[in-house]
Amino acid sequence: MLNIVLFGPPGAGKGTQAEKLLKKYELVHLSTGEILRGEIAAQTPLGKEAQAFMDKGELVSDSVVINMIEGMIDENNSAKGFIFDGFPRTTAQAEALDKMLNAKKINISTMLALAVDDDELIKRLLHRGKESGRSDDQNESIIANRIKIYIKNTAPVIDFYDMQGKYTSIDGTGSVEEIYDRLCESIDKVK
Ligand code: AP5
Ligand code: MG
């Protein structure tokens, strides 16, 4: 199996690149953000609970997303592998993911972290906010909060995978194609 953690701050291009990678490597895309937005659109109890956090750019609770991911892994038990996008986002989530994968005798192949500076992230997200309708793209203070939370709660996940020798930083600037080529080059080394 090929299991990739596609990591990076808000607006780094995780979703954009995941869409391309899953076709090439025939992987299942697990984006906690996408799943949560689906729950909000369907107005489920989980969606209603998550919405208040997402609108402010805060993280949803670890237990909610861990349960969601476990359910999705079980639903896709014949998959060739997974791309985890936007998960794990805290060290507790990374530990929980390792534990659940170990129990299923599978593991993370690599963690690829897209590196993009804050000015470019803000530019990309404000630009998308004009059309996306995503509540968390609508103004610079919510975007700044997402970046602040990324630095405080999410960036430490890098150390978790670095200690396992699985972390690679990828330049996330340039054209979508250029970044895709960099990712594929790294993936082909662990495949
Ligand atoms: P989530 O949906 O994961 O959002 P995010 O991490 O904030 O990141 P984005 O999806 O905005 O960016 P991306 O890196 O996917 O970039 P994209 O390809 O879209 O999470 C949303 C919220 O859900 C969280 O704040 C939290 O509340 C909750 N949540 C989700 N997961 C959770 C978890 N595990 N635990 C707790 N809470 C969780 O690109 C961005 C834009 O840039 C696009 O417009 C794109 O077209 C453009 N772009 C892409 N590549 C390039 C390029 N090379 N050059 C120029 N523009 C580009
Ligand atoms: Mg995304």
Side-chain angles (χ1 to χ4, degrees):
M1 270 183 111
L2 177 64
N3 296 307
I4 300 166
V5 173
L6 192 54
F7 193 80
K14 302 180 295 292
T16 304
Q17 296 296 334
E19 286 303 323
K20 293 171 71 66
L21 294 170
L22 68 92
K23 290 191 194 115
K24 172 164 177 163
Y25 296 101
E26 299 177 73
L27 304 173
V28 173
H29 184 194
L30 295 184
S31 159
T32 40
E34 294 288 324
I35 301 167
L36 289 167
R37 280 186 287 278
E39 297 280 340
I40 291 173
Q43 283 290 292
T44 64
L46 195 159
K48 286 181 188 162
E49 189 193 325
Q51 181 160 23
F53 294 96
M54 292 175 73
D55 284 351
K56 288 184 281 186
E58 309 275 336
L59 294 182
V60 174
S61 79
D62 286 336
S63 59
V64 164
V65 289
I66 290 165
N67 286 335
M68 247 169 41
I69 283 284
E70 183 147 37
M72 296 296 286
I73 293 173
D74 288 340
E75 266 177 44
N76 291 281
N77 58 12
S78 59
K80 287 188 177 176
F82 296 97
I83 299 186
F84 296 94
D85 159 1
F87 179 92
R89 228 177 174 99
T90 61
T91 303
Q93 290 178 22
E95 285 165 354
L97 178 64
D98 255 15
K99 210 167 146 196
M100 80 177 86
L101 293 181
N102 283 341
K104 300 177 202 303
K105 304 257 182 296
I106 51 182
N107 59 17
I108 294 297
S109 316
T110 185
M111 188 258 217
L112 304 173
L114 293 168
V116 178
D117 68 50
D118 290 0
D119 288 348
E120 172 70 11
L121 297 173
I122 293 166
K123 200 175 91 188
R124 287 183 190 179
L125 294 176
L126 284 175
H127 180 73
R128 183 178 63 188
K130 288 184 196 146
E131 290 156 15
S132 71
R134 261 182 68 164
S135 59
D136 56 351
D137 284 347
Q138 294 310 315
N139 70 60
E140 205 167 327
S141 75
I142 299 174
I143 293 172
N145 194 40
R146 287 160 67 192
I147 295 173
K148 191 180 101 192
I149 287 177
Y150 169 81
I151 294 167
K152 181 166 170 264
N153 299 75
T154 305
V157 173
I158 290 176
D159 296 336
F160 181 87
Y161 289 102
D162 198 17
M163 280 191 299
Q164 298 184 10
K166 291 181 178 170
Y167 157 70
T168 302
S169 175
I170 303 281
D171 178 1
T173 60
S175 73
V176 169
E177 280 305 321
E178 282 166 347
I179 300 161
Y180 174 68
D181 288 345
R182 288 175 204 139
L183 290 166
C184 292
E185 199 184 315
S186 251
I187 293 167
D188 291 339
K189 285 185 196 152
V190 297
K191 203 161 64 91

